[in-house]
Amino acid sequence: MTFRSSILYAVRLVCSRGGGDSGRGRKGLVGAMLSIGISLVPLVAVLSISDGMIEGITGRIIGLSSQDISVRVPAAIPLQRLAASLTELEGVTRATPELQGIALAAGKKARTGVTVRAVQPDIFTENRAFASYFSVEEGGTGLAGGRNAVIGQKVARDLNLHAGDTITLITSELGAAGVVRPKAALFTVAGIVSCGYQELDALWVFIPFAEGESFFPRAAAQHIVSIMTPDSFSPELMRIKGRVQEAAGDGCIVYTWDELHAAQYENFASTKILLLLVMLLIVLVASVNISSALVMLVMERRREIAILKSMGASPDGITAAFLLAGFSAGAAGVLFGVPLGLLASVNINALISVVERLINACGKCLYVLLHGDNGMYTAIRLLDPAYYLQQIPVTVPFRELLVIVLGTLLLSLLVSALPAVRAGREKPLETLRRS
C-alpha cells in the first residue's frame, strides 16, 4: 500500500458517508475538529490580548515613571549639571533632571494626596514616551511661563478642577527652631492629561523644574536623573548602567527599570503563564475527542479494513491513513480556530463594550424589579480603568502562534496514534468470519 493510497483512504475516511449506517465516527471527527477550533479561540485571544496589555502597561511604566535607567542623586549634587554630563555617555539618548515629592493638593471642594513631579517644561513634547502615551483631555501641556501645572485626569476629577483653575499644593518644611511648618503654593492648571492607565497618573501633578526647586524643601524631595536608551529591553542596558554608575559617582544609586518594577513585571508574566496553561489544558481535552472519534471510526470500518488487507494493504498503510484522518481533524480545527481567535482579539474593545451594555441593561432591569427605579444603580465595568488600560492594545505574537499551531498538529498526531495502530493490527480473517 503506497503512501498515496493511504492519503486517498484517509480522504475517504473523513469525507465519505460510508462505513456504517450512522457514520458516527466521521461525525465524531467533525465534532473533534469543531471542539479544537473553539478551544483555540480563547487561547489565541488570551495570548494576543495579554501580550498587548503587558506591553502597553510596561511601556507606560518605563516611559512615564522610571525611564530605562533611574539615578537617585544626593541633594548636595547639582542635578542639572549631572544630567548634562550623563547625556554625553555612550548608549544614553536623553538624561533629564527631575524632583519628586509628596504634597497635599487642594481644589475647589476637596483635597487629596498627590505625587508632585518637577520636570523640564518641554518634557511633554521632547520626551517621546510622554508625547506618545499622554493624551490631553483639557487645556495644554505647556509648563513654561510661570506657576503652571499639568495634572492627571483622576486628580482633576477628585478635586473638581478644569483647565484654568487654581490648585493649591501644600508640603512641609523644617523651620529654624526645628519646628515643622506647612508650605503652600498656588499653581494654575494648564492642562489635564491621561496616559490611559489610571494607576500610573492617578496621583501625578507636573510642575516646572525651576518652580519645584523653590517649592520643595531640599531634604523632602527625591533628586532623580531619568535616562533613556535606544532599547529598554536590550542586553546592553546593564552595560549602560555600569557606565552611568561610574560617571555619576559612589554617592548616586543607579537602577534599571526592571529592578524598580520587578515584582509588578513578574506578576504580569506569571498571570499570563497561568492563563495560557488553563487554555492549553482545554485544547488538550478537546484533542482527546480525536482519539475517541478514531476509535469509533475503526469499529465502523473493520470490515472495510479487512477487505483492504485481504487485497494486499499493509498494516503501516492502514495506520498511516488513520493517522492522516486524525491529523486532518486537528489541521481543520487550527484553520478554523486561529483566524477566529485573531478576529476576536482585534475587536476585543468593541466586544467588551457590547457585553458591558448587555450586562448593565439586564442589571438595570433587575434593579428596577427589586427597588422600583434605577437611580442608584452603579454601572458594571468588566475592565476597571483603575487597574487596566482604558483601551486594550492588541499585539499579534507570530512566534507564539506558530508554536501553538505546530503543537496542536503534533498533539493531533499523538492522540491519533493508538487507534491508528489498532486499525493497522486488525486481523482480516477474524473480522470476515464474524461478519
Side-chain angles (χ1 to χ4, degrees):
M1 188 174 185
T2 64
F3 184 68
R4 182 180 178 183
S5 301
S6 298
I7 294 176
L8 292 174
Y9 186 46
V11 173
R12 174 180 170 82
L13 291 174
V14 175
C15 300
S16 174
R17 295 182 179 273
D21 296 334
S22 60
R24 282 179 289 183
R26 188 185 64 84
K27 292 178 182 178
L29 279 180
V30 175
M33 179 270 291
L34 290 175
S35 63
I36 288 177
I38 292 172
S39 66
L40 284 175
V41 172
L43 176 59
V44 173
V46 165
L47 185 62
S48 302
I49 294 169
S50 62
D51 276 1
M53 183 77 78
I54 292 172
E55 183 178 318
I57 294 176
T58 303
R60 284 163 173 80
I61 290 174
I62 298 172
L64 305 180
S65 180
S66 64
Q67 302 288 301
D68 298 337
I69 297 175
S70 181
V71 185
R72 305 302 166 91
V73 183
I77 297 178
L79 199 59
Q80 289 180 303
R81 186 183 303 170
L82 177 61
S85 65
L86 294 179
T87 306
E88 304 299 326
L89 294 178
E90 180 185 355
V92 175
T93 58
R94 183 181 175 90
T96 55
E98 180 177 332
L99 300 174
Q100 285 189 18
I102 305 299
L104 178 66
K108 297 176 180 178
K109 298 180 180 179
R111 298 178 181 85
T112 186
V114 295
T115 299
V116 180
R117 299 179 61 179
V119 295
Q120 296 296 313
D122 61 351
I123 192 170
F124 285 93
T125 55
E126 296 300 321
N127 186 300
R128 66 173 184 267
F130 276 63
S132 59
Y133 288 128
F134 273 122
S135 61
V136 180
E137 306 298 326
E138 285 187 39
T141 57
L143 290 175
R147 289 197 166 187
N148 294 325
V150 175
I151 65 177
Q153 188 178 33
K154 186 175 185 301
V155 175
R157 187 164 51 244
D158 292 343
L159 299 181
N160 191 25
L161 292 174
H162 298 277
D165 291 342
T166 299
I167 182 173
T168 304
L169 299 179
I170 306 169
T171 185
S172 61
E173 63 179 354
L174 192 63
V179 179
V180 177
R181 60 187 183 188
K183 181 181 181 180
L186 298 177
F187 290 86
T188 301
V189 178
I192 299 170
V193 297
S194 172
C195 71
Y197 184 41
Q198 190 170 293
E199 187 175 341
L200 273 182
D201 61 5
L203 301 176
W204 282 345
V205 173
F206 297 93
I207 63 175
F209 185 83
E211 297 296 335
E213 287 183 307
S214 60
F215 172 70
F216 284 119
R218 181 169 290 272
Q222 287 185 324
H223 294 235
I224 301 171
V225 175
S226 299
I227 295 174
M228 295 179 65
T229 65
D231 185 2
S232 306
F233 300 91
S234 172
E236 291 290 323
L237 193 63
M238 294 305 295
R239 296 188 182 92
I240 298 173
K241 174 190 174 182
R243 290 195 287 268
V244 170
Q245 181 68 76
E246 183 179 354
D250 295 334
C252 301
I253 304 176
V254 182
Y255 300 98
T256 58
W257 69 267
D258 53 340
E259 291 172 337
L260 289 173
H261 307 288
Q264 193 170 15
Y265 193 67
E266 289 298 326
N267 183 42
F268 291 152
S270 59
T271 301
K272 174 187 172 182
I273 291 173
L274 288 175
L275 285 172
L276 292 178
L277 179 60
V278 172
M279 298 302 163
L280 285 172
L281 289 175
I282 295 174
V283 175
L284 177 61
V285 172
S287 65
V288 173
N289 292 332
I290 295 179
S291 180
S292 302
L294 285 180
V295 170
M296 183 66 67
L297 196 62
V298 170
M299 293 176 63
E300 292 178 352
R301 302 278 180 160
R302 275 182 174 174
R303 181 179 175 81
E304 192 174 282
I305 295 170
I307 294 174
L308 288 173
K309 281 195 168 186
S310 65
M311 296 176 62
S314 63
D316 291 342
I318 299 294
T319 298
F322 279 88
L323 278 176
L324 288 172
F327 179 81
S328 65
V334 168
L335 293 175
F336 160 68
V338 172
L340 197 59
L342 291 175
L343 183 64
S345 302
V346 171
N347 296 282
I348 188 63
N349 291 295
L351 290 174
I352 290 176
S353 177
V354 170
V355 172
E356 280 184 351
R357 290 177 185 176
L358 292 175
I359 291 175
N360 284 305
C362 296
K364 286 181 180 179
C365 292
L366 183 61
Y367 196 89
V368 169
L369 291 175
L370 296 176
H371 302 283
D373 64 71
N374 61 0
M376 299 297 292
Y377 177 78
T378 303
I380 297 172
R381 299 295 302 271
L382 295 181
L383 293 178
D384 192 336
Y387 308 103
Y388 301 97
L389 296 176
Q390 294 176 2
Q391 290 291 319
I392 301 174
V394 177
T395 301
V396 180
F398 292 102
R399 291 182 181 178
E400 288 86 348
L401 285 179
L402 181 61
V403 171
I404 289 174
V405 169
L406 295 178
T408 303
L409 296 178
L410 179 61
L411 191 60
S412 301
L413 282 176
L414 290 177
V415 298
S416 304
L418 185 59
V421 170
R422 287 183 177 178
R425 292 179 178 176
E426 285 287 330
K427 297 179 180 179
L429 293 178
E430 294 183 5
T431 303
L432 293 175
R433 284 197 195 104
R434 292 174 191 168
S435 56

